[in-house]
Amino acid sequence: MDNEQRHIFIEKVENAIEKAIAANKLGSMTDYTKGSLSVERPKNADFGDYAVNVSSLARFAKIAPPQIANAIVEFVEQEDNQYSVVAGFINFKAGEKLLSSLVGEIFENPK
């Protein structure tokens, strides 16, 4: 379940990055190579299940990491998941719908 959540989270963030670039919300940034950001567990569990540090995009966007993170979150398909921005991090907390879906998959495909 852990890897599936990570995959869903980074996929949503990367799709949102592409949408934010298309909407000219990421400063000078004109393209993004998928797979260049990594997902980590926040040191503080209050921030959520996962986080991605977007600070590395600042050299391309030429804007501050918090502005980058806020612009990206604006385009994330959130469903019932929670997203928040702390400094240059986008934090993710899985919602009930996602968790229920993942649990269902586990019961359907036990290993």
Side-chain angles (χ1 to χ4, degrees):
M1 188 153 85
D2 190 56
N3 284 336
E4 184 67 23
Q5 280 185 333
R6 282 176 187 256
H7 175 74
I8 290 167
F9 172 50
I10 196 67
E11 186 176 279
K12 287 182 178 288
V13 169
E14 289 181 328
N15 290 339
I17 289 170
E18 291 175 347
K19 290 176 185 175
I21 289 171
N24 294 315
K25 296 280 189 167
L26 289 180
S28 300
M29 197 166 166
T30 57
D31 65 341
Y32 170 74
T33 302
K34 286 190 174 191
S36 61
L37 295 176
S38 61
V39 178
E40 58 191 63
R41 287 259 186 205
K43 291 177 183 157
N44 182 341
D46 292 337
F47 290 149
D49 299 321
Y50 298 104
V52 74
N53 184 344
V54 298
S55 297
S56 63
L57 302 179
R59 65 181 177 181
F60 305 109
K62 309 272 191 271
I63 57 176
Q67 288 177 279
I68 294 168
N70 281 310
I72 293 168
V73 167
E74 189 178 319
F75 291 92
V76 171
E77 295 176 20
Q78 297 190 17
E79 297 174 352
D80 73 333
N81 303 309
Q82 296 175 9
Y83 292 82
S84 62
V85 172
V86 176
F89 288 86
I90 298 173
N91 300 303
F92 166 80
K93 184 167 181 74
E96 251 182 68
K97 182 178 174 185
L98 174 59
L99 293 174
S100 294
S101 170
L102 293 173
V103 169
E105 284 181 34
I106 290 170
F107 282 114
E108 288 176 14
N109 303 308
K111 293 185 180 185

